[in-house]
Amino acid sequence: MAGASAGAGTSASAGAERPVVAGTTVDHLTETYRAHYRSLLGLAALLLDDTASCEDVVQEAFIRVHSARNRVRDRDKTLAYLRQTVVNLSRSALRRRILGLKLLSKPMPDMASAEEGAYDQLERDDLIRAMRGLQRRQREVLVLRYFADMTEVQVAETLGISLGSVKAYGSRGIAALRVAMEAAQS
């Protein structure tokens, strides 16, 4: 019994020597999950093409950051670690998918027809071309706002510009995209 209490005292003193940083707690990670799950899902969606894979990647990112939370020293960097983990896991998923496609000899029955796939690719290419034609700030605002699913306030903070500028760049960017996409379809 005395040995058990001595061991407990040793653990407590070891914990006292290495304080837990507020940003690495399970509670903070839970708050981060609630606040940023959707935006991380949007980030994964930019890299992957199906919802199930995006959800898997984001869940795995939270699990990995939770497991390594002692390495996150700064509370403000938790979200950055999560974003980087989502990107890395998405890359890995794409590598596995590419390998699978190389090994796949015939199309699966539930795959879209070649015609549908070609049409989707053309639309995607038109959108990418139209996005590249935008001014840099317009493109940044639209990507962060709609693809990364950030609020206007978050976009303003990320880019270091005013909320009014975010709204103006966003509005002008959407108008320019609309014109470019209509021109591409005609």
Side-chain angles (χ1 to χ4, degrees):
M1 211 54 159
S5 63
T10 305
S11 302
S13 65
E17 291 172 13
R18 201 177 102 197
V20 176
V21 179
T24 62
T25 65
V26 173
D27 289 340
H28 176 69
L29 196 56
T30 302
E31 289 172 23
T32 304
Y33 176 86
R34 287 185 183 131
H36 298 285
Y37 176 78
R38 251 185 94 154
S39 68
L40 291 169
L41 198 59
L43 176 62
L46 289 171
L47 302 169
L48 301 170
D49 59 355
D50 67 295
T51 305
S53 294
C54 295
E55 290 171 347
D56 290 345
V57 160
V58 173
Q59 290 295 330
E60 181 65 23
F62 274 100
I63 290 168
R64 289 190 182 189
V65 171
H66 177 272
S67 298
R69 67 187 181 280
N70 292 334
R71 286 188 254 154
V72 181
R73 303 227 188 285
D74 184 357
R75 174 186 185 107
D76 296 334
K77 292 187 180 179
T78 304
L79 183 57
Y81 277 101
L82 282 165
R83 284 184 178 141
Q84 188 61 51
T85 305
V86 167
V87 170
N88 290 341
L89 290 171
S90 296
R91 287 177 183 156
S92 295
L94 287 173
R95 278 193 296 271
R96 284 190 306 276
R97 194 174 294 170
I98 289 169
L99 180 61
L101 288 174
K102 287 179 182 177
L103 299 175
L104 187 65
S105 60
K106 59 182 181 179
M108 300 298 286
D110 62 342
M111 290 177 70
S113 69
E115 183 179 283
E116 288 174 43
Y119 184 71
D120 289 345
Q121 185 64 43
L122 286 174
E123 281 185 336
R124 217 173 297 127
D125 290 346
D126 288 344
L127 178 61
I128 290 169
R129 253 191 307 283
M131 288 292 289
R132 287 184 181 146
L134 295 177
Q135 294 177 3
R136 180 180 57 90
R137 281 289 189 196
Q138 290 174 347
R139 186 173 52 251
E140 291 171 348
V141 167
L142 293 180
V143 166
L144 292 174
R145 180 76 176 101
Y146 297 104
F147 294 104
D149 200 28
M150 290 183 173
T151 65
E152 290 174 334
V153 172
Q154 290 171 324
V155 172
E157 289 172 359
T158 300
L159 296 178
I161 59 177
S162 71
L163 182 60
S165 294
V166 169
K167 291 179 180 184
Y169 285 124
S171 176
R172 289 184 203 128
I174 289 174
L177 267 182
R178 185 175 292 124
V179 169
M181 293 299 289
E182 287 173 0
Q185 292 177 356
S186 54

